[in-house]
Amino acid sequence: MDVRGPIEETAETDEASLDFEIFFHLHYTRVASVIARVVRDPSRAEDLAIEVFWKLWRSRQAQGLLAGGWVYRTAVRQGLDELRRRARRSRLESLFSFGRNTPTPEQLHAVTQEQEQVRATLAALDPAQAELLLLRTSGFSYAELATALDLNPASIGTLIVRAQKEFRKEYVERYGER
């Protein structure tokens, strides 16, 4: 039995933990802000960002040189999944709210319709297009988008324009001209 084996394994594990911790500190704030832009709830975004890093920790395939792109792609997907969960929950709650009071006009006005419409439109888009638009509006450069979404940097501009046209088409289809 080799006594050095477990010691070396522990050293490798500690090094991996340290690398992960550094990566976490470098990217956590930006990942949480990307998610917050989607879900509009900073505390929920922080929870979802933690889930993203937990998935990264558990997935050895995602770690390595492309981990940055994987993290941001997963963050956007987590945000979109949260929007879909909310929409499902809202539909279910509306089905079971027969005897409840109807909201007053002031309460209806207080609800930010345009934001909800944008979120619903994003949730209806192709996930790749929604991810591209969300990351771009989060301040990502074309180079960062290419890395995060594993795309050809030369095609980013064209893909953004297509995604914007598709968003506009879906929005107008759902809510009319604005």
Side-chain angles (χ1 to χ4, degrees), residues 30 33-38 40 76 118 122 129-142 145 160 164 167:
R30 196 163 184 196
S33 69
V34 165
I35 296 171
R37 289 186 61 107
V38 176
R40 289 289 181 209
V76 170
V118 168
L122 281 171
Q129 289 180 329
E131 290 171 4
L132 183 64
L133 291 174
L134 287 167
L135 289 176
R136 181 63 181 157
T137 59
S138 295
F140 279 60
S141 69
Y142 280 23
L145 287 170
I160 289 173
Q164 288 170 336
F167 176 88

Side-chain angles (χ1 to χ4, degrees), residues 136 140-154 156-157 160:
R136 181 63 181 157
F140 279 60
S141 69
Y142 280 23
E144 290 172 321
L145 287 170
T147 302
L149 299 174
D150 195 28
L151 297 170
N152 180 352
I156 294 295
I160 289 173

Side-chain angles (χ1 to χ4, degrees), residues 6 45 52 56 65 75 85 106-107 117 149 168 174 178:
V52 168
L56 175 66
L65 295 176
R85 273 191 294 275
E106 294 83 20
Q107 290 170 328
Q117 290 172 347
L149 299 174
R168 177 77 177 143
R174 287 171 170 253
R178 203 139 217 255

Side-chain angles (χ1 to χ4, degrees), residues 10 14 21 29 32 34 41 60 77 86-87 99 127 141 160 165:
T10 303
D14 290 343
E21 186 175 342
T29 303
V34 165
D41 181 354
R60 294 288 180 214
R77 289 176 183 160
R86 286 182 186 175
S141 69
I160 289 173
K165 284 181 182 177

Side-chain angles (χ1 to χ4, degrees), residues 23 27 52-53 56 59-75 77 143-151:
F23 183 83
H27 294 276
V52 168
F53 284 101
L56 175 66
S59 174
R60 294 288 180 214
Q61 300 160 329
Q63 297 176 15
L65 295 176
L66 301 177
W70 184 93
V71 166
Y72 291 109
R73 248 189 336 269
T74 304
R77 289 176 183 160
E144 290 172 321
L145 287 170
T147 302
L149 299 174
D150 195 28
L151 297 170

Side-chain angles (χ1 to χ4, degrees), residues 72-117:
Y72 291 109
R73 248 189 336 269
T74 304
V76 170
R77 289 176 183 160
Q78 285 284 95
L80 292 172
D81 287 347
E82 179 68 16
L83 289 180
R84 290 182 188 106
R85 273 191 294 275
R86 286 182 186 175
R88 275 193 307 271
R89 183 176 182 161
S90 177
R91 282 192 305 269
L92 287 173
E93 286 176 352
S94 70
L95 288 173
F96 295 112
S97 65
F98 298 114
R100 297 191 182 139
N101 296 335
T102 58
T104 65
E106 294 83 20
Q107 290 170 328
L108 289 175
H109 181 68
V111 175
T112 55
Q113 287 182 348
E114 188 172 2
Q115 290 178 349
E116 293 303 318
Q117 290 172 347

